[in-house]
Amino acid sequence: MPPTTTASSGQQPGKSGRKKGRRARLFVLVLVLAIIGGVAYGGYWSVSTVRASFPQTKGSITLEGLSGPVDVKRDSYGIPQIYASSDADLFMAQGYVQAQDRFYEMDVRRHMTSGRLSEMFGKGQVDNDEFLRTLGWDRVAKEEYDTKLSASTKKYLQAYAKGVNAYLQGKSGKDISLEYAALGFENDYKPAKWTPVDSVSWLKAMAWDLRGNMQDEIDRALMTSRLGPKQIADLYPQYPYSRNQTIVQEGQYNELTGTFEQDGSSDNNGLSGSGTSTSGSTGTSSSTSSSTSGTASSALQSQLSGLYDVLDDVPTAVGVNGQGIGSNSWVVAGSHTITGHPLLANDPHLSASLPSVWYQMGLHCRTVSSKCQYDVTGYTFAGMPGVVIGHNAKIAWGMTNSGVDVTDLYLEKLSGDGYLYDGRTKPFTTREETIKVAGGASKKIVVRETNNGPLLSDRSDELVKVGKKATVDNAAPDRGDGYGIALRWTALDPGTSMDAVFAMDKASNWSEFREAASLFDVPSQNLVYADATSIGYTLPGRIPIRAKGDDGSIPAPGWDPRYRWTGKYIQQDELPYEYNPSRGYIVTANQAVVDKDKYPYTLTTDWGYGTRSQRITDLIEQKIKGGGKISTDDMRQMQLDNSSEIAKLLVPKLLKIDIKDKDVRQAQELLEGWDYTQDADSAAAAYFNAVWRNILKLAFGNKLPKELRVKGQCLWVDPIDTTGPADETDKVRECGQRDADQAQPDGGDRWFEVVRNLMDDENSDWWTTPKGGGDRLKATNRDQLFERAMIDARWELTAKLGKDIDTWSWGRLHRLFLKNQTLGTDGPGFLQYMLNRGPWKLSGGEATVNATGWNAAGGYGVVWVPSMRMVVNLGDLDKSKWINLTGASGHAYSAHYTDQTGKWVKGELLDWAFSDDAVDKSTSDTLVLKP
């Protein structure tokens, strides 16, 4: 029977504004038909239509399947705290409440992860569905559910699904979300029932967003068409171990015991030795591997170029495909805090989305017992039970992406119905998939897999044609029927990450937390930990052991067995960890986990370069060495640090350059006395970042192959097959092929390191610019290139911000647009007006602690952000603080659609109630769910 409702009270609609934002590829043909039919204007958008889907937040609702009453207490921001007397009731209520706020988002995500977007949005999504079906996330998730997850986890997933379905019962599209009404689904669209596999699949999508260095593999291989090995090495320098500290500093791998041990310790602090498999051969990493020296070089180039186009079509809801995205987390011991207890901070960096990828909530058992085991609060994903990041009554934890390399691309030689491996042709593993299309005929595809994984290149007809015509070098096998690209990725094997979520949620100490973390196999994350007296760090994950000499840095020849994964993985008790280090703090911000001399395994060749992590470390050290104690607000202010490390390096050099043009000199003077802080109202920050962007373009960007440069930006270049500089008449016109927010050089901290390493070589070839274009445009050394960059930056900002530098500000360039990830991207203007929000002028920048990322190749707009911020106070959990990027609701006119964004922009945090008393004091609305 449908849920029974009494004494309902919905939320009031908020204001809207006309907004623009980041592109995502969701083409809504059904919507166009609706507009032609005349239903989109006039009385259609009535108040009742807009408000029809708002959740009931007061009174009571009867839900079949509950064993007892459940209280849902929402604060003034609509953030729910759920109170139940059994685990099943708790997670059933979680499903119901999340569906109230976010079901449209949940529905789109499950269609995306299962490769069924075409069922909602028509034929414009078929290509995306083909690619996602090839990866087979939902198939892996089902196998995971059937064969890997514990009985209790399955019970929780079933209870959650029951709650979602209780919400859906008896509702039409317009009762669920405004977007369904806009799509014309208001009456006839009946969402399919939610399933446990729908929840598990979303973890695969997040794993894809955090998959490691696959983009670097592609880029390095593509660079070989224009750059030599030394030049590529210049652009991928070694991690600066001597300057930027690793995460783990007080431990190393013990060859005798085969475990990772903390200094002065002979045990692993409670973690059992049951790893995912036994360890095998090791092999350390150098820089760029030469593993493709025997592959078909032009075949690899063409396949990777086409593969990038396929990857670029994946919806932005899955995440930005470019480089530079990271996160910050750190924990400080009680010996250094005002409270005498640890403090823990976390702010994961992800592409901006509306609604936010995160959903805040608390899950509370009225009495914690064997029947009801949870008392936890924090951030989770709409569509998934449990809490992913947060704290319970005993411990707190945070996450950053480790960047560990768990993906490899393989160039495969195809032959008939098989592929070459070890001198023989092996048959493909195949499966047929049927893609249903709204308003059109279904399409069938065949997914082929090699022993290295699915053939991603099959999803592009152009790639198939190119592969058949590719030329080869002498060391590669005959072309046969062409070449393809296969993907080996740990997330395509079933795992136990969903078990880990529930285990962490109820862990009560370091030992239990480490045991829980050992289940978190994909994606590999840096986990920081704190309880009332201790701090810690552990690296979980299913991390492959590659054959000696193969570091996974560039695509490998699939036909050569020497480059196939060994089938062995690093055991959990071999992975780095740290517990109560003597320095009294632990910082993780995507830097190297452990010094390469202290660890035998190759975790990745592509760490973040430690700019953010070292700045956080320096801020902590400054406070400690100054004799101060760190407060919750100190942690918050560290999260907002806008200092530009590359500016500290470059500005002294820029100020020494003798600028003749008075207008450019006026801009140069902005840098005098600048404190390198990138506040939104700073004119100096605007000019410096424009100079930095132009330095990168002149020194590096114009020398990269077209596959890495911004789409539509064209250059006259030497033909690829020339051995020396070509005559001006021989040059060819090449236009970039990447979207602006994905191109290189992106300006992240890898590029900081590239420039730092070249600073003392004033006559490096990198500092030269091509001949032609007039004397003013030529540069033959570092300072001449810097001068040209300063000139170009002055006139670029004149065009963008006006000639009067007194009106310039960083925030006018560096803006955040929040865009609904479906109808807000390609719908008509009136819908974008209704669904999108912004812009906001932001402080911060690339590789800054306040990491409001932008891509220097494409422009200054914000590409990724701290998707949430939190600071947990282990001395008094009710004094913890948190904030989300948007709000609790996915309903466009809800008061809670973006009600946290303004405070997020200002760097403010909300009170984070946990205890019963604190929650009661903060409660605005109470809804009782009755059996």
PDB file of all heavy atoms in Angstrom, residues 173-196:
ATOM      1  N   GLY A 173       5.915  11.101 -12.269  1.00  0.00           N
ATOM      2  CA  GLY A 173       7.140  11.868 -12.458  1.00  0.00           C
ATOM      3  C   GLY A 173       7.089  13.244 -11.828  1.00  0.00           C
ATOM      4  O   GLY A 173       8.032  13.674 -11.167  1.00  0.00           O
ATOM      5  N   LYS A 174       5.965  13.964 -11.998  1.00  0.00           N
ATOM      6  CA  LYS A 174       5.895  15.328 -11.468  1.00  0.00           C
ATOM      7  C   LYS A 174       5.893  15.349  -9.946  1.00  0.00           C
ATOM      8  O   LYS A 174       6.211  16.372  -9.335  1.00  0.00           O
ATOM      9  CB  LYS A 174       4.659  16.044 -12.012  1.00  0.00           C
ATOM     10  CG  LYS A 174       3.338  15.493 -11.482  1.00  0.00           C
ATOM     11  CD  LYS A 174       2.165  16.283 -12.042  1.00  0.00           C
ATOM     12  CE  LYS A 174       0.844  15.744 -11.491  1.00  0.00           C
ATOM     13  NZ  LYS A 174      -0.313  16.491 -12.037  1.00  0.00           N
ATOM     14  N   ASP A 175       5.497  14.235  -9.329  1.00  0.00           N
ATOM     15  CA  ASP A 175       5.513  14.150  -7.873  1.00  0.00           C
ATOM     16  C   ASP A 175       6.925  13.953  -7.329  1.00  0.00           C
ATOM     17  O   ASP A 175       7.146  14.118  -6.129  1.00  0.00           O
ATOM     18  CB  ASP A 175       4.639  12.982  -7.389  1.00  0.00           C
ATOM     19  CG  ASP A 175       3.183  13.155  -7.763  1.00  0.00           C
ATOM     20  OD1 ASP A 175       2.710  14.305  -7.764  1.00  0.00           O
ATOM     21  OD2 ASP A 175       2.533  12.139  -8.072  1.00  0.00           O
ATOM     22  N   ILE A 176       7.858  13.588  -8.211  1.00  0.00           N
ATOM     23  CA  ILE A 176       9.208  13.243  -7.784  1.00  0.00           C
ATOM     24  C   ILE A 176      10.181  14.384  -8.005  1.00  0.00           C
ATOM     25  O   ILE A 176      10.994  14.693  -7.142  1.00  0.00           O
ATOM     26  CB  ILE A 176       9.691  11.978  -8.536  1.00  0.00           C
ATOM     27  CG1 ILE A 176       8.779  10.800  -8.210  1.00  0.00           C
ATOM     28  CG2 ILE A 176      11.140  11.656  -8.180  1.00  0.00           C
ATOM     29  CD1 ILE A 176       9.047   9.567  -9.051  1.00  0.00           C
ATOM     30  N   SER A 177      10.083  15.039  -9.173  1.00  0.00           N
ATOM     31  CA  SER A 177      11.049  16.100  -9.461  1.00  0.00           C
ATOM     32  C   SER A 177      10.567  16.975 -10.601  1.00  0.00           C
ATOM     33  O   SER A 177       9.901  16.501 -11.529  1.00  0.00           O
ATOM     34  CB  SER A 177      12.413  15.498  -9.821  1.00  0.00           C
ATOM     35  OG  SER A 177      13.328  16.505 -10.162  1.00  0.00           O
ATOM     36  N   LEU A 178      10.947  18.245 -10.543  1.00  0.00           N
ATOM     37  CA  LEU A 178      10.644  19.189 -11.602  1.00  0.00           C
ATOM     38  C   LEU A 178      11.222  18.732 -12.937  1.00  0.00           C
ATOM     39  O   LEU A 178      10.622  18.932 -13.989  1.00  0.00           O
ATOM     40  CB  LEU A 178      11.227  20.555 -11.219  1.00  0.00           C
ATOM     41  CG  LEU A 178      11.126  21.698 -12.228  1.00  0.00           C
ATOM     42  CD1 LEU A 178       9.679  22.069 -12.452  1.00  0.00           C
ATOM     43  CD2 LEU A 178      11.908  22.908 -11.712  1.00  0.00           C
ATOM     44  N   GLU A 179      12.398  18.091 -12.909  1.00  0.00           N
ATOM     45  CA  GLU A 179      13.038  17.660 -14.146  1.00  0.00           C
ATOM     46  C   GLU A 179      12.190  16.654 -14.911  1.00  0.00           C
ATOM     47  O   GLU A 179      12.148  16.668 -16.143  1.00  0.00           O
ATOM     48  CB  GLU A 179      14.416  17.047 -13.862  1.00  0.00           C
ATOM     49  CG  GLU A 179      15.474  18.064 -13.489  1.00  0.00           C
ATOM     50  CD  GLU A 179      15.572  18.316 -11.998  1.00  0.00           C
ATOM     51  OE1 GLU A 179      14.580  18.058 -11.283  1.00  0.00           O
ATOM     52  OE2 GLU A 179      16.632  18.753 -11.537  1.00  0.00           O
ATOM     53  N   TYR A 180      11.507  15.758 -14.189  1.00  0.00           N
ATOM     54  CA  TYR A 180      10.638  14.801 -14.885  1.00  0.00           C
ATOM     55  C   TYR A 180       9.509  15.533 -15.606  1.00  0.00           C
ATOM     56  O   TYR A 180       9.116  15.162 -16.724  1.00  0.00           O
ATOM     57  CB  TYR A 180      10.057  13.793 -13.902  1.00  0.00           C
ATOM     58  CG  TYR A 180      11.054  12.822 -13.342  1.00  0.00           C
ATOM     59  CD1 TYR A 180      11.281  12.750 -11.976  1.00  0.00           C
ATOM     60  CD2 TYR A 180      11.774  11.970 -14.175  1.00  0.00           C
ATOM     61  CE1 TYR A 180      12.193  11.845 -11.439  1.00  0.00           C
ATOM     62  CE2 TYR A 180      12.693  11.072 -13.654  1.00  0.00           C
ATOM     63  CZ  TYR A 180      12.899  11.015 -12.286  1.00  0.00           C
ATOM     64  OH  TYR A 180      13.800  10.133 -11.766  1.00  0.00           O
ATOM     65  N   ALA A 181       8.989  16.561 -14.961  1.00  0.00           N
ATOM     66  CA  ALA A 181       7.942  17.339 -15.609  1.00  0.00           C
ATOM     67  C   ALA A 181       8.483  18.028 -16.855  1.00  0.00           C
ATOM     68  O   ALA A 181       7.825  18.068 -17.904  1.00  0.00           O
ATOM     69  CB  ALA A 181       7.384  18.375 -14.636  1.00  0.00           C
ATOM     70  N   ALA A 182       9.693  18.560 -16.775  1.00  0.00           N
ATOM     71  CA  ALA A 182      10.302  19.232 -17.917  1.00  0.00           C
ATOM     72  C   ALA A 182      10.544  18.280 -19.071  1.00  0.00           C
ATOM     73  O   ALA A 182      10.456  18.644 -20.243  1.00  0.00           O
ATOM     74  CB  ALA A 182      11.621  19.884 -17.502  1.00  0.00           C
ATOM     75  N   LEU A 183      10.842  17.045 -18.751  1.00  0.00           N
ATOM     76  CA  LEU A 183      11.103  16.035 -19.773  1.00  0.00           C
ATOM     77  C   LEU A 183       9.827  15.483 -20.388  1.00  0.00           C
ATOM     78  O   LEU A 183       9.884  14.683 -21.321  1.00  0.00           O
ATOM     79  CB  LEU A 183      11.906  14.874 -19.170  1.00  0.00           C
ATOM     80  CG  LEU A 183      13.393  15.137 -18.929  1.00  0.00           C
ATOM     81  CD1 LEU A 183      13.982  14.091 -18.005  1.00  0.00           C
ATOM     82  CD2 LEU A 183      14.140  15.157 -20.256  1.00  0.00           C
ATOM     83  N   GLY A 184       8.692  15.894 -19.865  1.00  0.00           N
ATOM     84  CA  GLY A 184       7.456  15.322 -20.352  1.00  0.00           C
ATOM     85  C   GLY A 184       7.139  13.989 -19.711  1.00  0.00           C
ATOM     86  O   GLY A 184       6.314  13.231 -20.199  1.00  0.00           O
ATOM     87  N   PHE A 185       7.823  13.694 -18.599  1.00  0.00           N
ATOM     88  CA  PHE A 185       7.621  12.422 -17.911  1.00  0.00           C
ATOM     89  C   PHE A 185       6.649  12.560 -16.736  1.00  0.00           C
ATOM     90  O   PHE A 185       6.587  11.716 -15.873  1.00  0.00           O
ATOM     91  CB  PHE A 185       8.948  11.915 -17.328  1.00  0.00           C
ATOM     92  CG  PHE A 185       9.979  11.548 -18.347  1.00  0.00           C
ATOM     93  CD1 PHE A 185      11.282  11.299 -17.945  1.00  0.00           C
ATOM     94  CD2 PHE A 185       9.672  11.423 -19.694  1.00  0.00           C
ATOM     95  CE1 PHE A 185      12.255  10.950 -18.860  1.00  0.00           C
ATOM     96  CE2 PHE A 185      10.641  11.079 -20.613  1.00  0.00           C
ATOM     97  CZ  PHE A 185      11.934  10.833 -20.208  1.00  0.00           C
ATOM     98  N   GLU A 186       5.890  13.673 -16.689  1.00  0.00           N
ATOM     99  CA  GLU A 186       5.185  13.969 -15.461  1.00  0.00           C
ATOM    100  C   GLU A 186       4.117  12.949 -15.109  1.00  0.00           C
ATOM    101  O   GLU A 186       3.814  12.732 -13.942  1.00  0.00           O
ATOM    102  CB  GLU A 186       4.584  15.388 -15.521  1.00  0.00           C
ATOM    103  CG  GLU A 186       3.419  15.554 -16.486  1.00  0.00           C
ATOM    104  CD  GLU A 186       3.877  15.938 -17.885  1.00  0.00           C
ATOM    105  OE1 GLU A 186       5.033  15.637 -18.239  1.00  0.00           O
ATOM    106  OE2 GLU A 186       3.079  16.526 -18.608  1.00  0.00           O
ATOM    107  N   ASN A 187       3.526  12.304 -16.102  1.00  0.00           N
ATOM    108  CA  ASN A 187       2.432  11.376 -15.803  1.00  0.00           C
ATOM    109  C   ASN A 187       2.759   9.924 -16.144  1.00  0.00           C
ATOM    110  O   ASN A 187       2.392   9.012 -15.419  1.00  0.00           O
ATOM    111  CB  ASN A 187       1.162  11.804 -16.559  1.00  0.00           C
ATOM    112  CG  ASN A 187       0.626  13.137 -16.073  1.00  0.00           C
ATOM    113  OD1 ASN A 187       0.569  13.357 -14.871  1.00  0.00           O
ATOM    114  ND2 ASN A 187       0.254  14.011 -16.996  1.00  0.00           N
ATOM    115  N   ASP A 188       3.469   9.716 -17.265  1.00  0.00           N
ATOM    116  CA  ASP A 188       3.631   8.344 -17.738  1.00  0.00           C
ATOM    117  C   ASP A 188       4.954   7.713 -17.335  1.00  0.00           C
ATOM    118  O   ASP A 188       5.157   6.527 -17.562  1.00  0.00           O
ATOM    119  CB  ASP A 188       3.503   8.297 -19.270  1.00  0.00           C
ATOM    120  CG  ASP A 188       4.520   9.179 -19.976  1.00  0.00           C
ATOM    121  OD1 ASP A 188       5.176   9.984 -19.285  1.00  0.00           O
ATOM    122  OD2 ASP A 188       4.645   9.074 -21.209  1.00  0.00           O
ATOM    123  N   TYR A 189       5.859   8.484 -16.727  1.00  0.00           N
ATOM    124  CA  TYR A 189       7.158   7.900 -16.357  1.00  0.00           C
ATOM    125  C   TYR A 189       7.063   7.255 -14.987  1.00  0.00           C
ATOM    126  O   TYR A 189       6.752   7.908 -13.991  1.00  0.00           O
ATOM    127  CB  TYR A 189       8.246   8.963 -16.345  1.00  0.00           C
ATOM    128  CG  TYR A 189       9.615   8.412 -15.993  1.00  0.00           C
ATOM    129  CD1 TYR A 189      10.300   7.590 -16.875  1.00  0.00           C
ATOM    130  CD2 TYR A 189      10.219   8.711 -14.772  1.00  0.00           C
ATOM    131  CE1 TYR A 189      11.551   7.077 -16.568  1.00  0.00           C
ATOM    132  CE2 TYR A 189      11.472   8.209 -14.458  1.00  0.00           C
ATOM    133  CZ  TYR A 189      12.133   7.389 -15.359  1.00  0.00           C
ATOM    134  OH  TYR A 189      13.374   6.883 -15.052  1.00  0.00           O
ATOM    135  N   LYS A 190       7.308   5.984 -14.936  1.00  0.00           N
ATOM    136  CA  LYS A 190       7.308   5.253 -13.681  1.00  0.00           C
ATOM    137  C   LYS A 190       8.717   4.705 -13.453  1.00  0.00           C
ATOM    138  O   LYS A 190       9.116   3.738 -14.104  1.00  0.00           O
ATOM    139  CB  LYS A 190       6.304   4.093 -13.727  1.00  0.00           C
ATOM    140  CG  LYS A 190       4.871   4.523 -13.996  1.00  0.00           C
ATOM    141  CD  LYS A 190       4.323   5.387 -12.880  1.00  0.00           C
ATOM    142  CE  LYS A 190       2.871   5.776 -13.158  1.00  0.00           C
ATOM    143  NZ  LYS A 190       2.351   6.715 -12.125  1.00  0.00           N
ATOM    144  N   PRO A 191       9.489   5.339 -12.583  1.00  0.00           N
ATOM    145  CA  PRO A 191      10.849   4.844 -12.349  1.00  0.00           C
ATOM    146  C   PRO A 191      10.838   3.389 -11.906  1.00  0.00           C
ATOM    147  O   PRO A 191       9.979   2.970 -11.118  1.00  0.00           O
ATOM    148  CB  PRO A 191      11.362   5.756 -11.232  1.00  0.00           C
ATOM    149  CG  PRO A 191      10.505   6.971 -11.285  1.00  0.00           C
ATOM    150  CD  PRO A 191       9.171   6.499 -11.743  1.00  0.00           C
ATOM    151  N   ALA A 192      11.773   2.645 -12.425  1.00  0.00           N
ATOM    152  CA  ALA A 192      11.913   1.256 -11.996  1.00  0.00           C
ATOM    153  C   ALA A 192      12.277   1.211 -10.522  1.00  0.00           C
ATOM    154  O   ALA A 192      12.821   2.169  -9.963  1.00  0.00           O
ATOM    155  CB  ALA A 192      12.996   0.569 -12.825  1.00  0.00           C
ATOM    156  N   LYS A 193      11.981   0.106  -9.892  1.00  0.00           N
ATOM    157  CA  LYS A 193      12.327  -0.036  -8.487  1.00  0.00           C
ATOM    158  C   LYS A 193      13.834   0.057  -8.287  1.00  0.00           C
ATOM    159  O   LYS A 193      14.610  -0.377  -9.129  1.00  0.00           O
ATOM    160  CB  LYS A 193      11.809  -1.373  -7.953  1.00  0.00           C
ATOM    161  CG  LYS A 193      10.301  -1.419  -7.754  1.00  0.00           C
ATOM    162  CD  LYS A 193       9.876  -2.699  -7.039  1.00  0.00           C
ATOM    163  CE  LYS A 193       8.389  -2.682  -6.730  1.00  0.00           C
ATOM    164  NZ  LYS A 193       7.968  -3.903  -5.995  1.00  0.00           N
ATOM    165  N   TRP A 194      14.205   0.636  -7.171  1.00  0.00           N
ATOM    166  CA  TRP A 194      15.624   0.714  -6.804  1.00  0.00           C
ATOM    167  C   TRP A 194      16.100  -0.668  -6.382  1.00  0.00           C
ATOM    168  O   TRP A 194      15.361  -1.424  -5.749  1.00  0.00           O
ATOM    169  CB  TRP A 194      15.811   1.703  -5.668  1.00  0.00           C
ATOM    170  CG  TRP A 194      17.248   2.075  -5.444  1.00  0.00           C
ATOM    171  CD1 TRP A 194      18.114   1.524  -4.549  1.00  0.00           C
ATOM    172  CD2 TRP A 194      17.978   3.079  -6.143  1.00  0.00           C
ATOM    173  NE1 TRP A 194      19.348   2.105  -4.640  1.00  0.00           N
ATOM    174  CE2 TRP A 194      19.294   3.074  -5.616  1.00  0.00           C
ATOM    175  CE3 TRP A 194      17.672   3.977  -7.164  1.00  0.00           C
ATOM    176  CZ2 TRP A 194      20.288   3.941  -6.066  1.00  0.00           C
ATOM    177  CZ3 TRP A 194      18.659   4.840  -7.618  1.00  0.00           C
ATOM    178  CH2 TRP A 194      19.948   4.815  -7.069  1.00  0.00           C
ATOM    179  N   THR A 195      17.336  -0.998  -6.732  1.00  0.00           N
ATOM    180  CA  THR A 195      17.899  -2.289  -6.355  1.00  0.00           C
ATOM    181  C   THR A 195      19.199  -2.094  -5.594  1.00  0.00           C
ATOM    182  O   THR A 195      19.850  -1.048  -5.723  1.00  0.00           O
ATOM    183  CB  THR A 195      18.189  -3.155  -7.592  1.00  0.00           C
ATOM    184  OG1 THR A 195      19.332  -2.613  -8.289  1.00  0.00           O
ATOM    185  CG2 THR A 195      16.997  -3.213  -8.527  1.00  0.00           C
ATOM    186  N   PRO A 196      19.608  -3.070  -4.813  1.00  0.00           N
ATOM    187  CA  PRO A 196      20.911  -2.964  -4.132  1.00  0.00           C
ATOM    188  C   PRO A 196      22.070  -2.752  -5.097  1.00  0.00           C
ATOM    189  O   PRO A 196      23.021  -2.027  -4.779  1.00  0.00           O
ATOM    190  CB  PRO A 196      21.022  -4.316  -3.410  1.00  0.00           C
ATOM    191  CG  PRO A 196      19.609  -4.726  -3.153  1.00  0.00           C
ATOM    192  CD  PRO A 196      18.854  -4.270  -4.368  1.00  0.00           C
TER     193      PRO A 196
END
